[in-house]
Amino acid sequence: LGVMATELELKFSLVDDVPSAEELQTLFGQADYDLISKGTQKHFDIYFDDDKNSLRHAGIALRKRRTGGKVLATLKANVNVSGELHEREEVEELMLGSNWPDIIYKRLETVTDPWSLTEKLELANIRTRYVVKRNGSELAILSFDVVTANYPGTFDTATFEEVEVEALGRAGEKELRALADVLERLIKLTPNSVTKLERAGALLTLSHSFQSE
């Protein structure tokens, strides 16, 4: 928390049913990995921007996340995407009031007036997480997400499912792809080159266009 860190992950769309913990632990155990269940959590995210979409044009995603009785502010920037491989800078801070944490506020000031930001999109995410280990070292977080999106104050929703394999410690692309190869023995993984925010916005726009016809 509090410093810009690099996030590296593989993102996939999911069309199959989410495997059970027992199925996953057996699968990864056969490949000499340990899979530790971290349970299922609900996240409620609100994404912000100004009227000119200055953050989006600058490649910045800004959100508030309510989870586990606390509120986290997260800023992601400098996204580099190659197919399903996503690499970006990220800073996450606990919010103790209504103001953005200093490190995030200062970054926002370089792009727009932080006080001009308004709510743009809401995401409710049911996330099931596992930590993947080998020889005692944590390699990655494996997450299964069921996401429901809507624009604030509206009732139209879009729902989609994703799988993420996020690097921990010194793990890199090679380790992540090896884990994805193991997972694909059980379920089909469709490479996803967009973020949740981008995907949600596209699906909601498509839904609205169909309803307007």
Side-chain angles (χ1 to χ4, degrees), residues 197-208:
L197 177 60
E198 293 168 331
R199 188 174 183 183
L203 289 174
L204 287 170
T205 299
L206 184 62
S207 174
H208 180 73

Side-chain angles (χ1 to χ4, degrees), residues 45-56 60-64 98 100 108 112-122 150-153 197:
D45 298 339
I46 302 175
Y47 285 85
F48 292 79
D49 210 332
D50 62 17
D51 290 340
K52 297 179 181 179
N53 291 318
S54 300
L55 298 185
R56 177 166 62 84
I60 292 174
L62 176 70
R63 76 173 183 227
K64 288 182 182 179
S98 59
W100 296 107
L108 295 173
T112 187
D113 175 7
W115 294 102
S116 71
L117 300 172
T118 58
E119 299 177 4
K120 295 298 182 180
L121 194 68
E122 298 175 351
N150 66 280
Y151 292 121
L197 177 60

Side-chain angles (χ1 to χ4, degrees), residues 61-78:
L62 176 70
R63 76 173 183 227
K64 288 182 182 179
R65 167 170 288 178
R66 297 184 183 276
T67 183
K70 59 187 177 182
V71 180
L72 299 172
T74 306
L75 183 148
K76 299 188 180 188
N78 297 328

Side-chain angles (χ1 to χ4, degrees), residues 3 33 40 212:
V3 296
Y33 294 101
T40 299
S212 300

Side-chain angles (χ1 to χ4, degrees), residues 33-200:
Y33 294 101
D34 294 315
L35 196 70
I36 296 91
S37 174
K38 293 298 180 179
T40 299
Q41 290 183 314
K42 292 183 179 180
H43 303 317
F44 298 95
D45 298 339
I46 302 175
Y47 285 85
F48 292 79
D49 210 332
D50 62 17
D51 290 340
K52 297 179 181 179
N53 291 318
S54 300
L55 298 185
R56 177 166 62 84
H57 293 314
I60 292 174
L62 176 70
R63 76 173 183 227
K64 288 182 182 179
R65 167 170 288 178
R66 297 184 183 276
T67 183
K70 59 187 177 182
V71 180
L72 299 172
T74 306
L75 183 148
K76 299 188 180 188
N78 297 328
V79 179
N80 183 20
V81 178
S82 177
E84 67 271 28
L85 182 67
H86 294 239
E87 184 175 10
R88 56 198 167 191
E89 292 181 351
E90 177 185 55
V91 62
E92 189 166 75
E93 279 264 305
L94 183 67
M95 290 194 70
L96 301 177
S98 59
N99 295 336
W100 296 107
D102 286 347
I103 189 172
I104 291 178
Y105 188 93
K106 291 176 181 178
R107 184 66 178 267
L108 295 173
E109 277 189 312
T110 66
V111 178
T112 187
D113 175 7
W115 294 102
S116 71
L117 300 172
T118 58
E119 299 177 4
K120 295 298 182 180
L121 194 68
E122 298 175 351
L123 298 183
N125 184 11
I126 300 175
R127 168 169 284 182
T128 302
R129 298 170 63 244
Y130 300 87
V131 171
V132 186
K133 301 173 70 174
R134 173 171 271 179
N135 298 326
S137 297
E138 295 184 346
L139 296 178
I141 297 175
L142 172 62
S143 300
F144 296 87
D145 295 333
V146 181
V147 183
T148 302
N150 66 280
Y151 292 121
T154 68
F155 296 101
D156 294 336
T157 62
T159 301
F160 55 93
E161 298 186 24
E162 291 189 346
V163 181
E164 295 181 354
V165 188
E166 181 181 346
L168 292 175
R170 297 183 178 180
E173 180 182 354
K174 179 180 178 181
E175 288 79 11
L176 297 185
R177 293 198 180 280
L179 294 174
D181 288 343
V182 172
L183 185 58
E184 200 154 27
R185 299 174 193 171
L186 188 61
I187 57 175
K188 178 175 176 55
L189 299 176
T190 302
N192 184 1
S193 61
V194 298
T195 65
K196 284 184 175 65
L197 177 60
E198 293 168 331
R199 188 174 183 183

